[in-house]
């Protein structure tokens, strides 16, 4: 279900998955939003610990991964190749968020309740092949560069999740935008930038608020 009340600053979505059978099954879900990559776009998140699948499966801490030394991978356009990472935390029922910040202070974000805990960032990279893929999948040569911010119910896209017999999973995910000070979003310390956005997001959509929407 999609909800956009007249006075709402964000789009509200609610998903309910059923297993109608008498035995457990596996299931899989990732929402996926393509966000414009201006060359300076930065991806912020409520978690810093990630699974990286660049070449091998490694546990890393943002903003760096061993496979791309010296690169702040929270800026998709700095990637030397296509790659992704999956954000992991011990969430214990909390809602989580991911956001794309732009140099003019605009931020596109999503926030979701359990069990849609896990976040992902994917980029094709800005090498020749990566640019070509983006152009092919969007609107032509020299344009259409983007990254993807995603949310899932399992730790990565190499995992699935058991849905018990006759079981139900449901969650609420919200999509919206904010205008904030660029200095706060693009400070050198990634953790401080995430805290700055998280505090401002909390002013319009608290943990209790999104749980109430879910109910």
């Amino acid at each position: 279900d999609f909800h956009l009340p007249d006075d709402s600053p964000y789009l509200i979505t609610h998903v309910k998955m059923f297993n109608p059978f008498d035995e457990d099954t596996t299931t899989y879900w990732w929402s996926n939003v393509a966000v414009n990559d201006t060359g300076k776009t930065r991806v912020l998140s409520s978690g810093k610990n990630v699974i990286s699948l660049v070449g091998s499966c490694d546990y890393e801490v943002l903003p760096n991964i061993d496979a791309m030394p010296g690169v702040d991978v929270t800026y998709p356009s700095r990637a030397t190749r296509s790659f992704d990472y999956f954000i992991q935390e011990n969430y214990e029922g909390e809602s989580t968020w991911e956001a794309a910040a732009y140099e003019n202070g605009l931020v596109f974000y999503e926030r979701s309740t359990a069990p849609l805990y896990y976040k992902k960032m994917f980029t094709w990279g800005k090498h020749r092949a990566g640019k070509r893929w983006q152009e092919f999948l969007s609107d032509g040569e020299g344009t259409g560069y983007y990254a993807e911010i995603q949310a899932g119910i399992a730790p990565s896209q190499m995992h699935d999740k058991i849905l018990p017999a006759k079981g139900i999973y449901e969650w609420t995910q919200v999509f919206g935008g904010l205008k904030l000070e660029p200095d706060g979003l693009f400070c050198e310390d990634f953790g401080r930038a995430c805290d700055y956005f998280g505090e401002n997001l909390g002013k319009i959509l608290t943990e209790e608020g999104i749980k109430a929407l879910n109910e």
Side-chain angles (χ1 to χ4, degrees):
D1 292 322
F2 291 79
H3 306 270
L4 188 59
D6 289 340
D7 60 349
S8 177
Y10 36 67
L11 174 68
I12 306 161
T13 71
H14 188 81
V15 174
K16 183 179 285 189
M17 301 176 68
F18 298 88
N19 177 4
F21 303 107
D22 294 323
E23 57 186 38
D24 296 351
T25 188
T26 58
T27 190
Y28 181 92
W29 182 285
W30 287 86
S31 66
N32 187 358
V33 179
V35 292
N36 185 34
D37 184 358
T38 66
K40 297 181 179 179
T41 304
R42 189 182 204 183
V43 175
L44 306 175
S45 55
S46 53
K48 319 293 184 298
N49 298 317
V50 301
I51 294 175
S52 168
L53 301 175
V54 183
S56 61
C57 181
D58 293 315
Y59 290 95
E60 312 271 11
V61 180
L62 294 176
N64 304 112
I65 60 175
D66 289 344
M68 280 186 269
V71 177
D72 183 335
V73 295
T74 67
Y75 291 88
S77 63
R78 297 182 183 179
T80 55
R81 53 173 293 177
S82 62
F83 80 99
D84 51 21
Y85 54 75
F86 298 87
I87 301 163
Q88 314 287 306
E89 295 291 347
N90 182 21
Y91 296 125
E92 295 297 333
E94 296 179 5
S95 68
T96 57
W97 57 263
E98 190 173 22
Y102 297 94
E103 55 267 34
N104 61 0
L106 287 174
V107 187
F108 174 85
Y109 69 85
E110 62 82 23
R111 186 171 194 169
S112 55
T113 64
L116 199 70
Y117 292 131
Y118 302 98
K119 307 302 182 186
K120 173 188 172 182
M121 195 285 291
F122 170 79
T123 178
W124 287 107
K126 286 300 179 69
H127 57 309
R128 180 183 176 190
K131 289 181 177 179
R132 179 69 187 111
W133 267 114
Q134 292 171 86
E135 292 165 352
F136 176 74
L137 292 168
S138 55
D139 58 0
E141 185 175 353
T143 63
Y145 299 140
Y146 65 93
E148 297 175 12
I149 60 174
Q150 303 187 29
I153 61 174
S156 81
Q157 289 172 333
M158 303 296 105
H159 295 80
D160 53 22
K161 186 176 180 69
I162 298 296
L163 182 52
K166 304 295 186 182
I168 297 173
Y169 288 140
E170 61 180 311
W171 61 83
T172 293
Q173 187 175 22
V174 164
F175 302 91
L178 284 175
K179 181 70 181 292
L180 299 173
E181 290 297 327
D183 288 348
L185 300 168
F186 291 90
C187 63
E188 185 174 350
D189 187 313
F190 175 68
R192 283 181 55 199
C194 293
D195 290 345
Y196 172 70
F197 176 76
E199 290 166 4
N200 282 278
L201 177 60
K203 294 175 183 177
I204 64 166
L205 184 63
T206 62
E207 179 79 22
E208 295 74 18
I210 193 170
K211 287 181 177 178
L213 289 175
N214 190 58
E215 291 302 317

